[in-house]
């Protein structure tokens, strides 16, 4: 049995297309898990040390394993955009916990500092009003178009015109959607798997509406941008992790602009998140 404080649920361990005839080994909450395909082609998962069988499933292009009691339902099917769309997948590891990684993905305020220039023009910070809502195991923030990235790269993709909605839900899913006049123009889902308390596997799916050449070009551009964004954010997240380890994990202090972090921590602790005031003024 895997001993962990992570929430029970389905966690992706690798891309489905990478699990072929030869078994693969991945780590879930500090425990090595052997992944293979059975005679019927369906994925199978067993812990390396005890051969304990874990529920496994292939869905949305990922291989999932169930942590804790087998959830009554498979992982939520990923209809990111309710119309024909193109999608791409990116995976990676970050030496940081799920809480830090989830907050980073959903933190709109940091782009003016960390990704200045290509995502947000220097000196272009502006006051906006964010709308925060929450439920039993999720929390969400919606930002008006004024909060959208405005640097040269963002304008190339048209992102500066869009309304942003960021959401985090159990067991470790961060979602970002961009809409224009209520119509989806971009969506991303980041499924976060605890490799250990200080390392997270990120299984990301990006989608844009349409299935033609223009949609393919947008995805190509998005891949280039997110590879760079991921590298910059990972460097900072890993420094945060090292700093915490050096100072024996001091307690977290929430800043006023940390709209979602208290809720993210509540979700990860199995508590109902308490949303801050529904409308919050801040600068991005």
């Amino acid at each position: 049995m895997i001993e962990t404080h992570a929430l029970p649920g389905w966690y992706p361990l690798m891309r489905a297309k990478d699990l072929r005839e030869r078994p693969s080994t991945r780590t879930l909450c500090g425990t090595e898990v052997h992944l293979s395909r059975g005679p019927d082609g369906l994925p199978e998962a067993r812990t390396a040390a005890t051969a304990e069988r874990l529920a496994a499933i292939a869905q949305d292009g990922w291989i999932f394993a169930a942590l804790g009691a087998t959830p009554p339902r498979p992982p939520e099917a990923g209809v990111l955009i309710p119309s024909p769309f193109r999608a791409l997948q990116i995976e990676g590891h970050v030496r940081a916990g799920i809480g830090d990684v989830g907050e980073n993905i959903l933190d709109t305020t940091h782009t003016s500092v960390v990704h200045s220039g290509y995502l947000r023009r220097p000196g272009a910070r502006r006051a906006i009003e964010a709308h925060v809502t929450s439920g039993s195991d999720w929390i969400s923030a919606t930002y008006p178009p004024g909060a959208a990235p405005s640097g040269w790269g963002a304008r190339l993709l048209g992102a500066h015109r869009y309304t942003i909605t960021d959401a985090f839900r159990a067991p470790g899913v961060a979602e970002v959607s961009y809409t224009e006049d209520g119509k989806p123009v971009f969506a991303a889902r980041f499924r976060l798997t605890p490799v250990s308390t200080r390392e997270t596997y990120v299984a990301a799916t990006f989608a844009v509406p349409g299935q033609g050449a223009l949609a393919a070009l947008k995805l190509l551009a998005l891949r280039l941008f997110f590879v760079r964004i991921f590298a910059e954010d990972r460097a900072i997240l890993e420094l945060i992790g090292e700093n915490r380890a050096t100072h024996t994990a001091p307690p977290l202090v929430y800043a006023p602009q940390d709209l979602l972090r208290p809720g993210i921590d509540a979700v990860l602790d199995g508590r109902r998140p308490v949303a801050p005031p529904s409308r919050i003024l801040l600068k991005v």
Side-chain angles (χ1 to χ4, degrees):
M1 182 176 180
I2 298 178
E3 298 293 336
T4 176
H5 296 295
L7 290 176
W10 293 97
Y11 291 92
L13 296 180
M14 64 183 298
R15 287 190 287 193
K17 69 177 184 179
D18 294 334
L19 183 60
R20 301 178 182 176
E21 293 82 6
R22 298 183 62 181
S24 295
T25 300
R26 297 294 187 271
T27 304
L28 176 60
C29 292
T31 298
E32 286 193 342
V33 177
H34 290 329
L35 299 169
S36 61
R37 291 194 181 274
D40 55 4
L42 297 177
E44 297 180 350
R46 293 183 182 275
T47 59
T50 64
E52 174 192 359
R53 186 160 186 167
L54 306 177
I57 190 172
Q59 186 167 295
D60 295 339
W62 304 99
I63 300 293
F64 291 82
L67 186 62
T70 304
R73 299 183 303 275
E76 183 177 335
V79 180
L80 286 171
I81 295 178
S83 62
F85 64 89
R86 278 185 177 267
L88 67 86
Q89 295 175 333
I90 297 177
E91 62 179 348
H93 286 79
V94 184
R95 292 194 303 276
I98 285 183
D100 288 338
V101 177
E103 179 193 33
N104 179 266
I105 291 169
L106 303 177
D107 179 18
T108 294
T109 62
H110 85 280
T111 59
S112 59
V113 178
V114 180
H115 311 301
S116 178
Y118 68 97
L119 273 192
R120 194 174 298 280
R121 289 178 296 177
R125 296 180 68 200
R126 63 186 69 183
I128 59 97
E129 184 179 76
H131 183 208
V132 182
T133 56
S134 65
S136 61
D137 62 355
W138 61 271
I139 188 165
S140 172
T142 299
Y143 304 88
S150 58
W152 64 265
R155 286 182 171 272
L156 183 66
L157 298 171
H160 61 291
R161 306 191 305 266
Y162 302 148
T163 296
I164 305 172
T165 299
D166 295 335
F168 188 88
R169 55 185 172 81
V173 183
E175 295 181 328
V176 179
S177 67
Y178 282 42
T179 58
E180 185 175 23
D181 298 327
K183 297 179 180 179
V185 291
F186 166 72
R189 176 176 292 134
F190 302 83
R191 296 187 185 272
L192 309 178
T193 296
V195 177
S196 67
T197 56
R198 293 181 181 173
E199 184 176 354
T200 300
Y201 171 66
V202 181
T205 302
F206 305 96
V208 296
Q211 295 182 323
L214 180 58
L217 287 173
K218 284 185 178 179
L219 280 180
L220 178 61
L222 285 168
R223 176 186 286 276
L224 295 174
F225 277 113
F226 274 97
V227 166
R228 176 172 176 176
I229 291 167
F230 187 74
E232 292 176 342
D233 285 347
R234 178 166 55 190
I236 292 175
L237 284 167
E238 292 183 351
L239 287 174
I240 291 172
E242 292 175 9
N243 185 60
R244 284 209 183 124
T246 300
H247 297 284
T248 62
L252 286 177
V253 176
Y254 301 122
Q257 66 268 30
D258 294 333
L259 302 188
L260 297 182
R261 183 56 187 267
I264 290 173
D265 289 343
V267 169
L268 294 175
D269 287 343
R271 297 181 284 111
R272 182 186 180 95
V274 178
S278 62
R279 297 189 179 277
I280 300 174
L281 292 173
L282 71 160
K283 274 193 171 184
V284 297

